[in-house]
Amino acid sequence: MTHSDGWRLFRGDRLARQVTFPEAPPWRQFTDASNAPTRQRPYLIGRTEADVVSAALHLRRPLLVTGHPGTGKSSLAHAIAHELSLGPVLQWPVNSRSVLKDALYGYDAIGRLRETHLRKEQGDAEPDIGTFVRLGPLGTALVPRDQPRVLLVDELDKGDVDLPNDLLTVFEEGEFEIPELSRLPETQSEVSVLTHGSDAERVTVRRGLVRCREFPAVVITSNGERDFPPAFMRRCVRLDLPDPDEERLRDIVAAHLGEEALHGVEDLLHAFLNRRAPGELATDQLLNAVFLRKGGLDLDADGLLDAVLHRLGGAV
């Protein structure tokens, strides 16, 4: 199988041309400005792993998900939200600068001061403080509702060493305080603030306290880069996602690209399995290779297979 000139969108010949972009892979298709929903990505999980998820939901405990890159840790949160009809996932991607307050709420004090000054100059009333308060992903997840929201705390192990302990009180109590609102006079005991996410709405916060009615479905992912404190681990339900075996890989390819995509890709599947070592290849790399082969490209040519199935660790 060889690739045709039509496959080459970029040729490196310095000649300008108009091209028609082919359809993107299903996992690289996004919403447009109208936020129209996209097709839910297939998610395959074993019965044992699914039962652990159900246990966490019954216990109202955070689910701590570990596993090598590409095993579907982050995607699990979206699968839970889709299957249980819990709305869009609230996402908190953690990095070394992440602090708990950012996940709970944000307060634009400078913006409020500027707006207050402008209104005073114009003789208008002071702006509502709620205009300058917006709940973060964790804060939004704790808004009282009849149905819980799904919160994805992604790669918690990349955060500060104290961050897991900072989360303990919020997870145990299911509430947090916004001091800027709790200090307001009695006449302003109820303040309308904006929530986080693409489906943002206004909710009423009373006396600066946000307290959940149903504890959110919290999915915490970790790549195992460091250990968490015992007190934090005790409050989580642990799920370790295994690397998919050959049969599961075939099922994943068929689920994402259709049964016909399995024809003529035995060499790619075996190359992936032969190259895979713990943590060094991700399943979506195999999907990328199969998608390109399905589009008519000979991945054995010109070192393209090495470009797609490259190791995830080590120097580049």
Side-chain angles (χ1 to χ4, degrees):
M1 183 185 296
T2 58
H3 53 68
S4 65
D5 254 5
W7 183 88
R8 284 193 171 110
L9 299 176
F10 175 75
R11 303 181 187 180
D13 56 11
R14 295 173 294 178
L15 298 177
R17 60 178 62 83
Q18 297 292 325
V19 298
T20 300
F21 273 75
E23 185 177 9
W27 53 91
R28 294 297 297 168
Q29 296 177 9
F30 304 95
T31 58
D32 56 22
S34 66
N35 201 35
T38 55
R39 179 175 64 89
Q40 171 64 22
R41 301 170 190 171
Y43 190 83
L44 276 67
I45 187 171
R47 174 61 64 86
T48 300
E49 290 78 21
D51 286 346
V52 175
V53 175
S54 291
L57 295 173
H58 277 284
L59 294 171
R60 307 303 200 270
R61 290 291 187 183
L63 181 70
L64 177 59
V65 187
T66 57
H68 294 134
T71 50
K73 298 188 296 295
S74 301
S75 300
L76 177 57
H78 296 273
I80 294 171
H82 171 72
E83 188 170 320
L84 303 183
S85 302
L86 297 179
V89 173
L90 297 163
Q91 302 188 55
W92 182 28
V94 176
N95 57 51
S96 59
R97 299 178 301 278
S98 297
V99 294
L100 178 61
K101 181 179 177 298
D102 294 337
L104 294 174
Y105 75 98
Y107 172 55
D108 184 6
I110 295 177
R112 184 189 180 200
L113 183 64
R114 184 186 301 115
E115 183 69 17
T116 300
H117 179 70
L118 284 174
R119 293 203 181 190
K120 281 185 176 180
E121 286 186 340
Q122 297 168 357
D124 297 331
E126 289 189 12
D128 181 5
I129 188 175
T131 307
F132 305 96
V133 176
R134 181 163 188 165
L135 300 182
L138 175 54
T140 300
L142 294 174
V143 168
R145 295 183 179 86
D146 293 331
Q147 286 282 87
R149 291 291 299 271
V150 177
L151 171 69
L152 171 61
V153 182
D154 209 11
E155 299 189 331
L156 180 61
D157 51 333
K158 292 189 180 301
D160 184 82
V161 66
D162 292 326
L163 187 55
N165 282 329
D166 293 341
L167 285 166
L168 286 180
T169 301
V170 176
F171 283 163
E172 282 301 287
E173 303 298 330
E175 67 179 28
F176 70 98
E177 183 186 52
I178 303 176
E180 292 84 353
L181 302 185
S182 62
R183 291 193 295 260
L184 294 173
E186 184 67 27
T187 55
Q188 294 178 273
S189 60
E190 295 189 353
V191 179
S192 175
V193 302
L194 198 63
T195 59
H196 175 85
S198 58
D199 60 340
E201 58 182 339
R202 287 207 161 269
V203 296
T204 299
V205 176
R206 293 175 175 82
R207 304 185 187 280
L209 185 68
V210 178
R211 181 179 178 84
C212 68
R213 186 178 301 131
E214 281 287 341
F215 188 76
V218 180
V219 177
I220 303 171
T221 71
S222 170
N223 290 319
E225 294 185 5
R226 62 177 174 81
D227 295 331
F228 295 123
F232 177 81
M233 295 294 294
R234 182 168 60 86
R235 290 165 171 83
C236 295
V237 174
R238 175 77 179 270
L239 173 62
D240 187 41
L241 292 179
D243 293 327
D245 57 18
E246 182 173 347
E247 181 180 358
R248 177 59 59 84
L249 287 172
R250 292 178 189 276
D251 292 340
I252 291 172
V253 170
H256 283 271
L257 297 171
E259 290 285 346
E260 67 279 1
L262 291 170
H263 301 307
V265 295
E266 289 295 321
D267 58 328
L268 296 181
L269 183 60
H270 291 151
F272 178 85
L273 290 169
N274 290 334
R275 292 171 180 233
R276 185 175 71 177
E280 291 201 348
L281 285 180
T283 305
D284 58 352
Q285 291 174 283
L286 174 63
L287 289 172
N288 290 337
V290 174
F291 180 81
L292 292 175
R293 172 67 62 79
K294 188 179 176 184
L297 176 67
D298 180 6
L299 280 170
D300 294 326
D302 306 322
L304 281 168
L305 186 61
D306 290 332
V308 177
L309 298 183
H310 60 84
R311 291 190 306 165
L312 299 180
V316 177

PDB file of all heavy atoms in Angstrom, residues 154-186:
ATOM      1  N   ASP A 154      -7.387  16.571  37.029  1.00  0.00           N
ATOM      2  CA  ASP A 154      -6.468  15.875  36.128  1.00  0.00           C
ATOM      3  C   ASP A 154      -5.010  16.070  36.535  1.00  0.00           C
ATOM      4  O   ASP A 154      -4.540  17.194  36.683  1.00  0.00           O
ATOM      5  CB  ASP A 154      -6.686  16.389  34.695  1.00  0.00           C
ATOM      6  CG  ASP A 154      -6.369  15.339  33.651  1.00  0.00           C
ATOM      7  OD1 ASP A 154      -6.193  14.163  34.028  1.00  0.00           O
ATOM      8  OD2 ASP A 154      -6.303  15.688  32.456  1.00  0.00           O
ATOM      9  N   GLU A 155      -4.326  14.935  36.727  1.00  0.00           N
ATOM     10  CA  GLU A 155      -2.890  14.892  37.044  1.00  0.00           C
ATOM     11  C   GLU A 155      -2.574  15.617  38.351  1.00  0.00           C
ATOM     12  O   GLU A 155      -1.741  16.525  38.395  1.00  0.00           O
ATOM     13  CB  GLU A 155      -2.062  15.441  35.877  1.00  0.00           C
ATOM     14  CG  GLU A 155      -2.237  14.644  34.598  1.00  0.00           C
ATOM     15  CD  GLU A 155      -1.265  15.050  33.501  1.00  0.00           C
ATOM     16  OE1 GLU A 155      -0.847  16.219  33.478  1.00  0.00           O
ATOM     17  OE2 GLU A 155      -0.908  14.175  32.689  1.00  0.00           O
ATOM     18  N   LEU A 156      -3.223  15.182  39.411  1.00  0.00           N
ATOM     19  CA  LEU A 156      -3.013  15.782  40.725  1.00  0.00           C
ATOM     20  C   LEU A 156      -1.563  15.666  41.173  1.00  0.00           C
ATOM     21  O   LEU A 156      -1.061  16.516  41.922  1.00  0.00           O
ATOM     22  CB  LEU A 156      -3.942  15.118  41.750  1.00  0.00           C
ATOM     23  CG  LEU A 156      -3.852  15.634  43.185  1.00  0.00           C
ATOM     24  CD1 LEU A 156      -4.208  17.123  43.262  1.00  0.00           C
ATOM     25  CD2 LEU A 156      -4.760  14.822  44.104  1.00  0.00           C
ATOM     26  N   ASP A 157      -0.858  14.625  40.717  1.00  0.00           N
ATOM     27  CA  ASP A 157       0.529  14.437  41.141  1.00  0.00           C
ATOM     28  C   ASP A 157       1.472  15.503  40.594  1.00  0.00           C
ATOM     29  O   ASP A 157       2.627  15.596  41.019  1.00  0.00           O
ATOM     30  CB  ASP A 157       1.032  13.045  40.753  1.00  0.00           C
ATOM     31  CG  ASP A 157       0.797  12.711  39.294  1.00  0.00           C
ATOM     32  OD1 ASP A 157      -0.155  13.251  38.710  1.00  0.00           O
ATOM     33  OD2 ASP A 157       1.557  11.904  38.733  1.00  0.00           O
ATOM     34  N   LYS A 158       1.006  16.322  39.657  1.00  0.00           N
ATOM     35  CA  LYS A 158       1.831  17.423  39.151  1.00  0.00           C
ATOM     36  C   LYS A 158       1.735  18.667  40.033  1.00  0.00           C
ATOM     37  O   LYS A 158       2.471  19.637  39.832  1.00  0.00           O
ATOM     38  CB  LYS A 158       1.430  17.778  37.716  1.00  0.00           C
ATOM     39  CG  LYS A 158       1.758  16.695  36.699  1.00  0.00           C
ATOM     40  CD  LYS A 158       1.551  17.195  35.290  1.00  0.00           C
ATOM     41  CE  LYS A 158       1.871  16.111  34.266  1.00  0.00           C
ATOM     42  NZ  LYS A 158       3.262  15.626  34.371  1.00  0.00           N
ATOM     43  N   GLY A 159       0.802  18.680  40.980  1.00  0.00           N
ATOM     44  CA  GLY A 159       0.596  19.835  41.834  1.00  0.00           C
ATOM     45  C   GLY A 159       1.572  19.884  42.999  1.00  0.00           C
ATOM     46  O   GLY A 159       2.423  18.997  43.177  1.00  0.00           O
ATOM     47  N   ASP A 160       1.433  20.923  43.802  1.00  0.00           N
ATOM     48  CA  ASP A 160       2.258  21.096  44.988  1.00  0.00           C
ATOM     49  C   ASP A 160       2.038  19.931  45.949  1.00  0.00           C
ATOM     50  O   ASP A 160       0.952  19.341  46.004  1.00  0.00           O
ATOM     51  CB  ASP A 160       1.908  22.424  45.665  1.00  0.00           C
ATOM     52  CG  ASP A 160       2.799  22.713  46.852  1.00  0.00           C
ATOM     53  OD1 ASP A 160       3.916  23.205  46.651  1.00  0.00           O
ATOM     54  OD2 ASP A 160       2.369  22.430  47.988  1.00  0.00           O
ATOM     55  N   VAL A 161       3.065  19.624  46.720  1.00  0.00           N
ATOM     56  CA  VAL A 161       3.000  18.464  47.617  1.00  0.00           C
ATOM     57  C   VAL A 161       1.897  18.608  48.653  1.00  0.00           C
ATOM     58  O   VAL A 161       1.360  17.603  49.158  1.00  0.00           O
ATOM     59  CB  VAL A 161       4.376  18.256  48.300  1.00  0.00           C
ATOM     60  CG1 VAL A 161       4.705  19.413  49.234  1.00  0.00           C
ATOM     61  CG2 VAL A 161       4.417  16.932  49.036  1.00  0.00           C
ATOM     62  N   ASP A 162       1.503  19.835  48.988  1.00  0.00           N
ATOM     63  CA  ASP A 162       0.459  20.060  49.995  1.00  0.00           C
ATOM     64  C   ASP A 162      -0.954  20.075  49.416  1.00  0.00           C
ATOM     65  O   ASP A 162      -1.924  20.108  50.179  1.00  0.00           O
ATOM     66  CB  ASP A 162       0.700  21.385  50.719  1.00  0.00           C
ATOM     67  CG  ASP A 162       1.949  21.353  51.596  1.00  0.00           C
ATOM     68  OD1 ASP A 162       2.236  20.278  52.148  1.00  0.00           O
ATOM     69  OD2 ASP A 162       2.623  22.392  51.708  1.00  0.00           O
ATOM     70  N   LEU A 163      -1.082  20.063  48.104  1.00  0.00           N
ATOM     71  CA  LEU A 163      -2.401  20.200  47.493  1.00  0.00           C
ATOM     72  C   LEU A 163      -3.368  19.080  47.881  1.00  0.00           C
ATOM     73  O   LEU A 163      -4.538  19.355  48.191  1.00  0.00           O
ATOM     74  CB  LEU A 163      -2.270  20.302  45.973  1.00  0.00           C
ATOM     75  CG  LEU A 163      -3.550  20.622  45.205  1.00  0.00           C
ATOM     76  CD1 LEU A 163      -4.193  21.903  45.721  1.00  0.00           C
ATOM     77  CD2 LEU A 163      -3.255  20.752  43.698  1.00  0.00           C
ATOM     78  N   PRO A 164      -2.944  17.790  47.887  1.00  0.00           N
ATOM     79  CA  PRO A 164      -3.890  16.749  48.320  1.00  0.00           C
ATOM     80  C   PRO A 164      -4.436  16.984  49.720  1.00  0.00           C
ATOM     81  O   PRO A 164      -5.629  16.783  49.970  1.00  0.00           O
ATOM     82  CB  PRO A 164      -3.052  15.468  48.247  1.00  0.00           C
ATOM     83  CG  PRO A 164      -2.004  15.759  47.222  1.00  0.00           C
ATOM     84  CD  PRO A 164      -1.670  17.212  47.417  1.00  0.00           C
ATOM     85  N   ASN A 165      -3.570  17.414  50.651  1.00  0.00           N
ATOM     86  CA  ASN A 165      -4.046  17.696  52.011  1.00  0.00           C
ATOM     87  C   ASN A 165      -5.000  18.883  52.029  1.00  0.00           C
ATOM     88  O   ASN A 165      -5.952  18.918  52.824  1.00  0.00           O
ATOM     89  CB  ASN A 165      -2.862  17.969  52.940  1.00  0.00           C
ATOM     90  CG  ASN A 165      -2.165  16.689  53.373  1.00  0.00           C
ATOM     91  OD1 ASN A 165      -2.799  15.637  53.486  1.00  0.00           O
ATOM     92  ND2 ASN A 165      -0.868  16.764  53.597  1.00  0.00           N
ATOM     93  N   ASP A 166      -4.755  19.871  51.159  1.00  0.00           N
ATOM     94  CA  ASP A 166      -5.653  21.024  51.091  1.00  0.00           C
ATOM     95  C   ASP A 166      -7.056  20.608  50.648  1.00  0.00           C
ATOM     96  O   ASP A 166      -8.052  21.240  51.033  1.00  0.00           O
ATOM     97  CB  ASP A 166      -5.098  22.072  50.118  1.00  0.00           C
ATOM     98  CG  ASP A 166      -3.805  22.705  50.615  1.00  0.00           C
ATOM     99  OD1 ASP A 166      -3.535  22.618  51.830  1.00  0.00           O
ATOM    100  OD2 ASP A 166      -3.060  23.259  49.789  1.00  0.00           O
ATOM    101  N   LEU A 167      -7.128  19.561  49.850  1.00  0.00           N
ATOM    102  CA  LEU A 167      -8.417  19.101  49.345  1.00  0.00           C
ATOM    103  C   LEU A 167      -9.222  18.325  50.394  1.00  0.00           C
ATOM    104  O   LEU A 167     -10.448  18.187  50.267  1.00  0.00           O
ATOM    105  CB  LEU A 167      -8.215  18.201  48.122  1.00  0.00           C
ATOM    106  CG  LEU A 167      -7.841  18.890  46.809  1.00  0.00           C
ATOM    107  CD1 LEU A 167      -7.353  17.861  45.802  1.00  0.00           C
ATOM    108  CD2 LEU A 167      -9.030  19.643  46.243  1.00  0.00           C
ATOM    109  N   LEU A 168      -8.537  17.813  51.418  1.00  0.00           N
ATOM    110  CA  LEU A 168      -9.196  16.909  52.358  1.00  0.00           C
ATOM    111  C   LEU A 168     -10.422  17.515  53.011  1.00  0.00           C
ATOM    112  O   LEU A 168     -11.487  16.898  53.064  1.00  0.00           O
ATOM    113  CB  LEU A 168      -8.199  16.461  53.435  1.00  0.00           C
ATOM    114  CG  LEU A 168      -7.150  15.442  52.992  1.00  0.00           C
ATOM    115  CD1 LEU A 168      -6.234  15.094  54.164  1.00  0.00           C
ATOM    116  CD2 LEU A 168      -7.808  14.187  52.448  1.00  0.00           C
ATOM    117  N   THR A 169     -10.298  18.733  53.548  1.00  0.00           N
ATOM    118  CA  THR A 169     -11.420  19.356  54.253  1.00  0.00           C
ATOM    119  C   THR A 169     -12.605  19.567  53.332  1.00  0.00           C
ATOM    120  O   THR A 169     -13.761  19.292  53.699  1.00  0.00           O
ATOM    121  CB  THR A 169     -10.989  20.699  54.872  1.00  0.00           C
ATOM    122  OG1 THR A 169      -9.910  20.471  55.772  1.00  0.00           O
ATOM    123  CG2 THR A 169     -12.147  21.347  55.607  1.00  0.00           C
ATOM    124  N   VAL A 170     -12.331  20.048  52.122  1.00  0.00           N
ATOM    125  CA  VAL A 170     -13.426  20.284  51.166  1.00  0.00           C
ATOM    126  C   VAL A 170     -14.117  18.967  50.816  1.00  0.00           C
ATOM    127  O   VAL A 170     -15.355  18.891  50.766  1.00  0.00           O
ATOM    128  CB  VAL A 170     -12.881  20.965  49.894  1.00  0.00           C
ATOM    129  CG1 VAL A 170     -13.997  21.133  48.862  1.00  0.00           C
ATOM    130  CG2 VAL A 170     -12.278  22.314  50.241  1.00  0.00           C
ATOM    131  N   PHE A 171     -13.332  17.909  50.588  1.00  0.00           N
ATOM    132  CA  PHE A 171     -13.922  16.617  50.246  1.00  0.00           C
ATOM    133  C   PHE A 171     -14.708  16.032  51.417  1.00  0.00           C
ATOM    134  O   PHE A 171     -15.732  15.374  51.228  1.00  0.00           O
ATOM    135  CB  PHE A 171     -12.833  15.640  49.815  1.00  0.00           C
ATOM    136  CG  PHE A 171     -12.321  15.868  48.417  1.00  0.00           C
ATOM    137  CD1 PHE A 171     -11.124  15.310  47.999  1.00  0.00           C
ATOM    138  CD2 PHE A 171     -13.034  16.636  47.510  1.00  0.00           C
ATOM    139  CE1 PHE A 171     -10.656  15.517  46.707  1.00  0.00           C
ATOM    140  CE2 PHE A 171     -12.575  16.853  46.229  1.00  0.00           C
ATOM    141  CZ  PHE A 171     -11.376  16.288  45.817  1.00  0.00           C
ATOM    142  N   GLU A 172     -14.230  16.258  52.636  1.00  0.00           N
ATOM    143  CA  GLU A 172     -14.907  15.697  53.807  1.00  0.00           C
ATOM    144  C   GLU A 172     -16.169  16.480  54.156  1.00  0.00           C
ATOM    145  O   GLU A 172     -17.202  15.890  54.490  1.00  0.00           O
ATOM    146  CB  GLU A 172     -13.950  15.675  54.997  1.00  0.00           C
ATOM    147  CG  GLU A 172     -12.951  14.541  54.966  1.00  0.00           C
ATOM    148  CD  GLU A 172     -13.616  13.178  54.939  1.00  0.00           C
ATOM    149  OE1 GLU A 172     -14.163  12.760  55.980  1.00  0.00           O
ATOM    150  OE2 GLU A 172     -13.620  12.534  53.867  1.00  0.00           O
ATOM    151  N   GLU A 173     -16.091  17.798  54.104  1.00  0.00           N
ATOM    152  CA  GLU A 173     -17.216  18.633  54.512  1.00  0.00           C
ATOM    153  C   GLU A 173     -18.190  18.930  53.380  1.00  0.00           C
ATOM    154  O   GLU A 173     -19.349  19.273  53.622  1.00  0.00           O
ATOM    155  CB  GLU A 173     -16.703  19.959  55.102  1.00  0.00           C
ATOM    156  CG  GLU A 173     -15.748  19.793  56.272  1.00  0.00           C
ATOM    157  CD  GLU A 173     -16.388  19.093  57.455  1.00  0.00           C
ATOM    158  OE1 GLU A 173     -17.615  19.234  57.621  1.00  0.00           O
ATOM    159  OE2 GLU A 173     -15.669  18.399  58.199  1.00  0.00           O
ATOM    160  N   GLY A 174     -17.722  18.846  52.155  1.00  0.00           N
ATOM    161  CA  GLY A 174     -18.592  19.144  51.007  1.00  0.00           C
ATOM    162  C   GLY A 174     -19.004  20.593  50.934  1.00  0.00           C
ATOM    163  O   GLY A 174     -20.063  20.917  50.383  1.00  0.00           O
ATOM    164  N   GLU A 175     -18.166  21.476  51.480  1.00  0.00           N
ATOM    165  CA  GLU A 175     -18.502  22.895  51.496  1.00  0.00           C
ATOM    166  C   GLU A 175     -17.239  23.749  51.527  1.00  0.00           C
ATOM    167  O   GLU A 175     -16.144  23.258  51.824  1.00  0.00           O
ATOM    168  CB  GLU A 175     -19.370  23.236  52.711  1.00  0.00           C
ATOM    169  CG  GLU A 175     -18.636  23.093  54.036  1.00  0.00           C
ATOM    170  CD  GLU A 175     -19.505  23.449  55.229  1.00  0.00           C
ATOM    171  OE1 GLU A 175     -20.730  23.300  55.144  1.00  0.00           O
ATOM    172  OE2 GLU A 175     -18.933  23.875  56.257  1.00  0.00           O
ATOM    173  N   PHE A 176     -17.407  25.029  51.210  1.00  0.00           N
ATOM    174  CA  PHE A 176     -16.320  25.992  51.347  1.00  0.00           C
ATOM    175  C   PHE A 176     -16.926  27.379  51.494  1.00  0.00           C
ATOM    176  O   PHE A 176     -18.093  27.604  51.156  1.00  0.00           O
ATOM    177  CB  PHE A 176     -15.361  25.951  50.152  1.00  0.00           C
ATOM    178  CG  PHE A 176     -15.942  26.483  48.871  1.00  0.00           C
ATOM    179  CD1 PHE A 176     -15.691  27.786  48.464  1.00  0.00           C
ATOM    180  CD2 PHE A 176     -16.752  25.682  48.073  1.00  0.00           C
ATOM    181  CE1 PHE A 176     -16.229  28.289  47.280  1.00  0.00           C
ATOM    182  CE2 PHE A 176     -17.294  26.173  46.893  1.00  0.00           C
ATOM    183  CZ  PHE A 176     -17.032  27.475  46.494  1.00  0.00           C
ATOM    184  N   GLU A 177     -16.119  28.305  52.007  1.00  0.00           N
ATOM    185  CA  GLU A 177     -16.584  29.668  52.250  1.00  0.00           C
ATOM    186  C   GLU A 177     -15.897  30.642  51.300  1.00  0.00           C
ATOM    187  O   GLU A 177     -14.721  30.485  50.978  1.00  0.00           O
ATOM    188  CB  GLU A 177     -16.288  30.076  53.697  1.00  0.00           C
ATOM    189  CG  GLU A 177     -16.803  31.468  54.061  1.00  0.00           C
ATOM    190  CD  GLU A 177     -16.377  31.899  55.449  1.00  0.00           C
ATOM    191  OE1 GLU A 177     -15.165  31.825  55.748  1.00  0.00           O
ATOM    192  OE2 GLU A 177     -17.251  32.306  56.226  1.00  0.00           O
ATOM    193  N   ILE A 178     -16.651  31.636  50.858  1.00  0.00           N
ATOM    194  CA  ILE A 178     -16.098  32.745  50.081  1.00  0.00           C
ATOM    195  C   ILE A 178     -16.042  33.947  51.015  1.00  0.00           C
ATOM    196  O   ILE A 178     -17.069  34.602  51.250  1.00  0.00           O
ATOM    197  CB  ILE A 178     -16.964  33.046  48.847  1.00  0.00           C
ATOM    198  CG1 ILE A 178     -17.110  31.791  47.974  1.00  0.00           C
ATOM    199  CG2 ILE A 178     -16.370  34.197  48.028  1.00  0.00           C
ATOM    200  CD1 ILE A 178     -18.023  31.977  46.772  1.00  0.00           C
ATOM    201  N   PRO A 179     -14.885  34.232  51.603  1.00  0.00           N
ATOM    202  CA  PRO A 179     -14.807  35.295  52.617  1.00  0.00           C
ATOM    203  C   PRO A 179     -15.294  36.650  52.113  1.00  0.00           C
ATOM    204  O   PRO A 179     -15.895  37.417  52.869  1.00  0.00           O
ATOM    205  CB  PRO A 179     -13.309  35.333  52.965  1.00  0.00           C
ATOM    206  CG  PRO A 179     -12.799  33.970  52.610  1.00  0.00           C
ATOM    207  CD  PRO A 179     -13.598  33.557  51.419  1.00  0.00           C
ATOM    208  N   GLU A 180     -15.038  36.957  50.851  1.00  0.00           N
ATOM    209  CA  GLU A 180     -15.456  38.244  50.314  1.00  0.00           C
ATOM    210  C   GLU A 180     -16.975  38.420  50.368  1.00  0.00           C
ATOM    211  O   GLU A 180     -17.477  39.552  50.406  1.00  0.00           O
ATOM    212  CB  GLU A 180     -14.969  38.408  48.870  1.00  0.00           C
ATOM    213  CG  GLU A 180     -13.464  38.537  48.725  1.00  0.00           C
ATOM    214  CD  GLU A 180     -12.748  37.203  48.681  1.00  0.00           C
ATOM    215  OE1 GLU A 180     -13.413  36.159  48.889  1.00  0.00           O
ATOM    216  OE2 GLU A 180     -11.532  37.187  48.448  1.00  0.00           O
ATOM    217  N   LEU A 181     -17.707  37.298  50.378  1.00  0.00           N
ATOM    218  CA  LEU A 181     -19.171  37.360  50.459  1.00  0.00           C
ATOM    219  C   LEU A 181     -19.674  37.196  51.887  1.00  0.00           C
ATOM    220  O   LEU A 181     -20.679  37.801  52.270  1.00  0.00           O
ATOM    221  CB  LEU A 181     -19.797  36.282  49.561  1.00  0.00           C
ATOM    222  CG  LEU A 181     -19.435  36.326  48.063  1.00  0.00           C
ATOM    223  CD1 LEU A 181     -20.235  35.280  47.308  1.00  0.00           C
ATOM    224  CD2 LEU A 181     -19.675  37.708  47.479  1.00  0.00           C
ATOM    225  N   SER A 182     -19.001  36.373  52.678  1.00  0.00           N
ATOM    226  CA  SER A 182     -19.463  36.153  54.057  1.00  0.00           C
ATOM    227  C   SER A 182     -19.294  37.399  54.925  1.00  0.00           C
ATOM    228  O   SER A 182     -19.962  37.526  55.959  1.00  0.00           O
ATOM    229  CB  SER A 182     -18.700  34.976  54.681  1.00  0.00           C
ATOM    230  OG  SER A 182     -17.310  35.246  54.746  1.00  0.00           O
ATOM    231  N   ARG A 183     -18.404  38.328  54.507  1.00  0.00           N
ATOM    232  CA  ARG A 183     -18.199  39.549  55.287  1.00  0.00           C
ATOM    233  C   ARG A 183     -19.203  40.650  54.954  1.00  0.00           C
ATOM    234  O   ARG A 183     -19.211  41.707  55.585  1.00  0.00           O
ATOM    235  CB  ARG A 183     -16.776  40.083  55.048  1.00  0.00           C
ATOM    236  CG  ARG A 183     -15.686  39.205  55.627  1.00  0.00           C
ATOM    237  CD  ARG A 183     -14.362  39.949  55.642  1.00  0.00           C
ATOM    238  NE  ARG A 183     -13.883  40.248  54.310  1.00  0.00           N
ATOM    239  CZ  ARG A 183     -12.945  39.532  53.685  1.00  0.00           C
ATOM    240  NH1 ARG A 183     -12.396  38.492  54.300  1.00  0.00           N
ATOM    241  NH2 ARG A 183     -12.553  39.862  52.476  1.00  0.00           N
ATOM    242  N   LEU A 184     -20.067  40.428  53.985  1.00  0.00           N
ATOM    243  CA  LEU A 184     -21.026  41.450  53.578  1.00  0.00           C
ATOM    244  C   LEU A 184     -22.098  41.638  54.654  1.00  0.00           C
ATOM    245  O   LEU A 184     -22.384  40.720  55.431  1.00  0.00           O
ATOM    246  CB  LEU A 184     -21.682  41.052  52.252  1.00  0.00           C
ATOM    247  CG  LEU A 184     -20.772  41.012  51.025  1.00  0.00           C
ATOM    248  CD1 LEU A 184     -21.528  40.440  49.826  1.00  0.00           C
ATOM    249  CD2 LEU A 184     -20.228  42.396  50.702  1.00  0.00           C
ATOM    250  N   PRO A 185     -22.739  42.801  54.701  1.00  0.00           N
ATOM    251  CA  PRO A 185     -23.803  43.034  55.690  1.00  0.00           C
ATOM    252  C   PRO A 185     -25.014  42.139  55.434  1.00  0.00           C
ATOM    253  O   PRO A 185     -25.162  41.559  54.359  1.00  0.00           O
ATOM    254  CB  PRO A 185     -24.147  44.514  55.488  1.00  0.00           C
ATOM    255  CG  PRO A 185     -23.681  44.853  54.114  1.00  0.00           C
ATOM    256  CD  PRO A 185     -22.472  44.003  53.875  1.00  0.00           C
ATOM    257  N   GLU A 186     -25.884  42.064  56.435  1.00  0.00           N
ATOM    258  CA  GLU A 186     -27.056  41.192  56.369  1.00  0.00           C
ATOM    259  C   GLU A 186     -27.929  41.495  55.157  1.00  0.00           C
ATOM    260  O   GLU A 186     -28.549  40.590  54.577  1.00  0.00           O
ATOM    261  CB  GLU A 186     -27.870  41.347  57.658  1.00  0.00           C
ATOM    262  CG  GLU A 186     -29.065  40.413  57.764  1.00  0.00           C
ATOM    263  CD  GLU A 186     -28.648  38.959  57.890  1.00  0.00           C
ATOM    264  OE1 GLU A 186     -27.532  38.712  58.388  1.00  0.00           O
ATOM    265  OE2 GLU A 186     -29.442  38.090  57.486  1.00  0.00           O
TER     266      GLU A 186
END
